[in-house]
Amino acid sequence: MIDNMIRVLTKYGDLFMVGLRYTLLLSVIAVILGILIGSVLAIIKMSTWKFCGCKNPFSVLVSIYIDVIRGTPLLLQLYFFYFILPAAFPNLDLSEFTCVATALVANSSAYISEVIRSGIQAVDRGQNEAARTLGMTKFQAMVHIIFPQAIQNILPALCNEFITMVKETSLASTFFVGDLMTQFKTISGALYLTIEPLIIVGVIYLILTYALSKVVTVVERRMKRLD
């Protein structure tokens, strides 16, 4: 087995590196856009604005969206976006990578929005009142006072979301978008070997997630020092 693993690494090491790049790229896109979209979703969901005396309809829609995403499997969402986006936008010639990345962003934004919402709600209300006393608008208070403190509180959770997304991108191999598991399927089919390339991919995932978890630990320690 060791000889076969060495042979696989020697012959297909470049493919594993390509898979690693695609895995990280998908994860970064999903988490960064997830933070941006999730922030907007969190603010909308927390909005106290009313329409004709009823609850904010946008808040209701956001709540439904979050419940649907969190209540359905990621693989189902990947299939949904993979088939629905090209049908909805036939003139754009969307690639498999784009469809998969969109599904991951949609999934990540729903989970991150709840993390951000809890972080905002954890900030002392007195901070907002003090900002308003200084003449700040609600928007200014949110941007300059509340949101920075919320991000500081939830930064470790966001780092953990990135680690989770790194592992969840493995489902993207269903659509052969170039990630690590896609490369495993390619190499396995070419060499008629399963265990050896699978172990190599597993070790890469383990090293990657372990290194990222150590980064999260360092971030958490620094956050505690700031407190």
Side-chain angles (χ1 to χ4, degrees):
M1 180 180 289
I2 299 298
D3 291 339
N4 284 337
M5 289 178 64
I6 293 173
R7 180 161 64 92
V8 170
L9 277 173
T10 302
K11 189 172 183 180
Y12 293 103
D14 291 343
L15 282 183
F16 287 117
M17 290 299 100
V18 170
L20 178 59
R21 287 199 295 271
Y22 271 99
T23 293
L24 289 174
L25 179 60
L26 281 170
S27 302
V28 169
I29 290 173
V31 173
I32 289 180
L33 293 183
I35 290 173
L36 295 175
I37 298 173
S39 301
V40 175
L41 295 177
I43 293 172
I44 293 175
K45 187 173 181 179
M46 295 175 61
S47 174
T48 56
W49 174 72
K50 292 186 177 182
F51 180 75
C52 296
C54 300
K55 189 176 181 179
N56 182 358
F58 296 107
S59 177
V60 174
L61 291 174
V62 166
S63 297
I64 293 173
Y65 167 77
I66 292 173
D67 289 340
V68 169
I69 293 295
R70 297 183 67 180
T72 54
L74 175 57
L75 186 58
L76 184 149
Q77 296 163 23
L78 287 167
Y79 271 107
F80 178 81
F81 281 94
Y82 182 81
F83 289 114
I84 200 68
L85 285 181
F89 305 99
N91 296 326
L92 294 183
D93 191 24
L94 298 173
S95 66
E96 289 85 355
F97 184 90
T98 301
C99 295
V100 167
T102 303
L104 293 175
V105 169
N107 181 274
S108 181
S109 63
Y111 284 92
I112 289 177
S113 68
E114 290 298 279
V115 173
I116 292 175
R117 184 173 66 86
S118 64
I120 292 174
Q121 291 177 336
V123 177
D124 190 348
R125 291 184 178 180
Q127 299 284 335
N128 184 56
E129 294 173 358
R132 298 301 301 278
T133 302
L134 293 173
M136 290 186 178
T137 64
K138 286 185 178 181
F139 179 77
Q140 290 174 329
M142 178 63 71
V143 171
H144 298 292
I145 305 296
I146 307 300
F147 208 70
Q149 293 184 63
I151 291 296
Q152 179 178 326
N153 293 335
I154 65 176
L155 190 56
L158 295 179
C159 293
N160 282 319
E161 173 64 20
F162 181 71
I163 295 174
T164 300
M165 188 54 62
V166 167
K167 292 181 286 186
E168 288 183 340
T169 55
S170 61
L171 293 174
S173 63
T174 306
F175 309 98
F176 291 89
V177 295
D179 64 300
L180 277 169
M181 288 303 294
T182 297
Q183 304 305 335
F184 155 71
K185 292 180 179 179
T186 301
I187 296 168
S188 178
L191 297 178
Y192 297 100
L193 293 174
T194 302
I195 302 300
E196 290 83 354
L198 191 62
I199 290 175
I200 293 171
V201 168
V203 169
I204 294 173
Y205 272 118
L206 183 61
I207 293 173
L208 182 58
T209 55
Y210 180 79
L212 291 172
S213 67
K214 289 302 178 183
V215 172
V216 173
T217 301
V218 172
V219 170
E220 288 177 340
R221 286 176 182 171
R222 291 187 176 181
M223 292 298 100
K224 289 179 181 179
R225 288 176 186 173
L226 291 175
D227 293 338

